[in-house]
Amino acid sequence: MGHSQAEKAQSRERILSEAATQIREAGLESVSVGKLMKRANLTHGGFYGHFESRSDLLAKALERALVDGEATARASAEPGKRRSFAALVRSYLSRAHRDAPESGCAIAALVSDVGRAEHEVRAVMTPHIESYIELVAGELGERDESAAIAAVSAMIGALALSRVIVDPKRSDRILQAVREHVLAMQEDASAGA
């Protein structure tokens, strides 16, 4: 790779990183190409040398945000050990996760925005949701994925709702209630095995 290609790759990386962080903090519609390029220390005109359109940027930034959120979750497990389902649920439905949308699960942070976005952007999140359902189904030992769909939906929904609720005690209660129910689902699945 020549020097200019290396610089272009670095510039693209800065743009994507900045956009991924921004959408996790403030949503898809918060991205202004002009402001984003300025924060990346690049000219507005240079944007199209990296992306076909704003939609292309949003799709790629969303993918980055989703992958980064998954990496953060994996990194929180003890090195060399598989993270237990109970630990995953407790971590996901925690105050720390609730209070850090910019570094947590991008699905919960962006599900409403993505639901209103163009097909191209929605298609980016779909395999990540499916993967999460598969992971939970495996942990619950379910042949019928209904319990896994319910658990994933409850966890994402609870995290999203807990971020909206102004009263910290009520917000904590939402996380606690769903955490207890999802963990009970695993106990029920284990008892039935």
Side-chain angles (χ1 to χ4, degrees):
M1 203 182 331
H3 185 65
S4 63
Q5 288 296 87
E7 286 177 348
K8 184 175 180 178
Q10 289 173 344
S11 294
R12 180 182 171 87
E13 179 59 33
R14 283 197 322 267
I15 297 165
L16 269 178
S17 180
E18 181 65 39
T21 299
Q22 184 174 344
I23 65 171
R24 285 167 80 173
E25 289 175 351
L28 293 174
E29 290 307 310
S30 71
V31 176
S32 157
V33 171
K35 290 177 183 176
L36 176 66
M37 294 300 284
K38 190 173 187 175
R39 277 195 305 278
N41 293 322
L42 298 165
T43 64
H44 184 266
F47 173 80
Y48 293 100
H50 299 283
F51 302 97
E52 294 175 18
S53 63
R54 182 175 179 273
S55 287
D56 180 42
L57 165 69
L58 292 177
K60 288 178 173 61
L62 176 60
E63 178 66 29
R64 170 66 59 86
L66 290 159
V67 169
D68 288 352
E70 291 163 2
T72 299
R74 280 191 304 278
S76 67
E78 288 185 45
K81 288 190 176 182
R82 186 177 163 272
R83 188 176 189 181
S84 73
F85 181 69
L88 176 126
V89 171
R90 285 186 190 102
S91 174
Y92 193 92
L93 296 171
S94 68
R95 285 181 188 157
H97 192 200
R98 175 195 64 204
D99 296 343
E102 73 283 352
S103 62
C105 175
I107 296 171
L110 296 165
V111 70
S112 291
D113 282 5
V114 173
R116 290 185 296 272
E118 295 176 24
H119 174 80
E120 175 186 13
V121 175
R122 291 192 328 267
V124 170
M125 189 177 276
T126 299
H128 293 272
I129 295 169
E130 294 293 350
S131 176
Y132 197 21
I133 291 169
E134 273 184 44
L135 170 74
V136 172
E139 292 293 335
L140 294 176
E142 295 290 318
R143 286 195 180 127
D144 174 9
E145 67 179 2
S146 295
I149 290 170
V152 168
S153 298
M155 290 170 60
I156 292 169
L159 186 60
L161 290 174
S162 74
R163 288 175 174 162
V164 172
I165 300 294
V166 178
D167 178 6
K169 288 181 182 178
R170 188 66 174 161
S171 178
D172 288 346
R173 180 66 185 121
I174 289 170
L175 294 174
Q176 178 188 9
V178 174
R179 188 171 51 239
E180 289 169 0
H181 281 280
V182 172
L183 291 174
M185 291 170 79
Q186 184 190 32
E187 290 172 15
D188 291 347
S190 296

